[in-house]
């Protein structure tokens, strides 16, 4: 089986690790753990920050997203799946596999959806990661496939909704980045574009509006200062990808600012 996660360390002192996860395929959490272990073993230098590149990730297996979140979180709720007439299915961080202590920056765009939003929402809600990019797609629902007539046809039905650690839902609103940047896919067709899309539930005890304007302005100011810092090595690895250049700078200079 080929690994679904790629990555390497960058910088004159290997100070930042960039991990790319295009889809939550089966085994993604194991692939992530193996890659982090390999990157550590490949350098005597200590990693100062991690960039988790989720751009274009359209989701996949929920259990893989939960397992990856567990690697970054010490404790607390990761996600709650609510289905009418059924007890809530709650996934909580165990802390047993948490081995990543450095600041984390998650890079997202408007194509990120479903399990991708689940992971991003959990890390942002717990203050474990800063999110950079554009508002995500906004798919916070679970579908089930019902087959009939011995598999001659099937029906895809929405049966449940994801709720983040604070009780809110990303459905039809997506995850709002801590800092919006150019150079990533934004807008276009999203979950809310469907005429019959479920809206967010007004009766939820909490519907997190995302980062406060004051916080976003403070972090945006930090990124502007970071852009002014000359990093010759960065130009060679991010040529044609200004968003990644911003993410690496943000991770190194602003990642510890909560």
């Amino acid at each position: 089986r080929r690994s679904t996660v790629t990555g390497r360390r960058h910088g004159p002192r290997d100070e930042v690790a960039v991990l790319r996860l295009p889809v939550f395929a089966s085994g993604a959490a194991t692939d992530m753990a193996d890659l982090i272990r390999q990157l550590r073993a490949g350098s005597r230098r200590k990693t100062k920050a991690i960039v988790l590149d989720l751009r274009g990730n359209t989701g996949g297996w929920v259990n893989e997203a939960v397992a990856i979140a567990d690697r970054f979180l010490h404790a607390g709720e990761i996600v709650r799946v609510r289905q009418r007439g059924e007890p809530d299915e709650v996934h909580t961080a165990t802390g047993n596999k948490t081995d990543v202590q450095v600041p984390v920056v998650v890079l997202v765009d408007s194509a990120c959806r479903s399990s991708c939003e689940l992971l991003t929402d959990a890390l942002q809600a717990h203050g474990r990661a800063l999110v950079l990019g554009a508002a995500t797609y906004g798919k916070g629902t679970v579908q089930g496939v019902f087959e009939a007539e011995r598999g001659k046809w099937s029906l895809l039905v929405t049966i449940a909704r994801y709720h983040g650690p604070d009780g809110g839902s990303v459905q039809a609103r997506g995850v709002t980045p801590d800092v919006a940047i150019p150079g990533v896919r934004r807008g276009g067709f999203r979950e809310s574009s469907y005429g019959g899309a479920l809206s967010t539930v007004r009766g939820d005890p909490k519907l997190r509006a995302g980062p406060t304007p004051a916080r976003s302005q403070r972090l945006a100011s930090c990124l502007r200062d970071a852009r002014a810092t000359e990093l010759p090595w960065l130009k060679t690895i991010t040529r044609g990808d200004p968003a990644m250049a911003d993410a690496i700078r943000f991770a190194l200079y602003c990642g510890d600012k909560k």
Side-chain angles (χ1 to χ4, degrees):
R1 186 180 63 86
R2 188 174 182 179
S3 174
T4 57
V5 186
T6 58
R8 58 171 298 181
R9 295 175 70 165
H10 296 288
R13 298 179 180 84
D14 290 337
E15 53 259 63
V16 60
V18 177
L19 310 179
R20 170 75 179 139
L21 180 60
V23 65
F24 289 92
S26 178
T30 299
D31 292 341
M32 176 75 74
D34 290 344
L35 178 59
I36 291 175
R37 193 178 302 113
Q38 291 169 14
L39 292 177
R40 283 176 176 162
S43 176
R44 296 181 180 180
R45 306 280 189 175
K46 184 177 180 181
T47 302
K48 292 184 177 179
I50 288 177
V51 173
L52 185 55
D53 186 0
L54 298 181
R55 288 176 295 177
N57 188 314
T58 56
W61 293 101
V62 172
N63 61 314
E64 300 294 341
V66 169
I68 291 174
D70 195 13
R71 186 159 293 280
F72 291 91
L73 296 172
H74 287 282
E77 194 169 299
I78 295 173
V79 68
R80 180 180 295 262
V81 182
R82 288 178 177 168
Q83 182 175 352
R84 183 179 299 175
E86 299 290 338
D88 287 357
E89 180 184 326
V90 182
H91 298 272
T92 305
T94 63
N96 296 330
K97 298 180 180 179
T98 305
D99 58 358
V100 181
Q101 312 297 334
V102 298
V104 178
V105 169
V106 181
L107 183 58
V108 297
D109 61 12
S110 61
C112 297
R113 67 183 76 175
S114 193
S115 297
C116 178
E117 294 176 295
L118 183 161
L119 173 61
T120 304
D121 189 44
L123 297 182
Q124 186 187 52
H126 281 289
R128 183 61 188 88
L130 294 174
V131 180
L132 201 64
T136 59
Y137 184 85
K139 182 183 181 297
T141 55
V142 184
Q143 282 69 46
V145 178
F146 297 87
E147 295 187 352
E149 296 185 24
R150 297 181 180 180
K152 290 184 179 180
W153 60 272
S154 59
L155 183 65
L156 185 67
V157 180
T158 297
I159 59 174
R161 190 192 299 262
Y162 299 125
H163 290 261
D166 58 4
S169 170
V170 302
Q171 175 62 22
R173 66 181 180 97
V175 178
T176 302
D178 292 291
V179 179
I181 60 170
V184 297
R185 187 185 314 177
R186 62 182 67 250
F189 198 87
R190 303 174 72 235
E191 180 77 3
S192 57
S193 303
Y194 288 100
L198 294 175
S199 62
T200 54
V201 180
R202 295 182 180 179
D204 281 351
K206 291 182 181 179
L207 279 178
R208 185 161 56 92
T212 64
R215 183 170 184 270
S216 290
Q217 290 172 10
R218 184 174 70 252
L219 291 170
S221 177
C222 180
L223 178 58
R224 285 194 295 271
D225 292 341
R227 285 170 175 161
T229 304
E230 188 66 24
L231 297 175
W233 58 269
L234 188 58
K235 296 179 181 179
T236 61
I237 65 173
T238 61
R239 188 175 291 111
D241 192 356
M244 179 54 70
D246 274 345
I248 292 176
R249 289 181 183 276
F250 196 59
L252 288 174
Y253 295 104
C254 311
D256 59 350
K257 299 183 183 297
K258 304 301 183 182

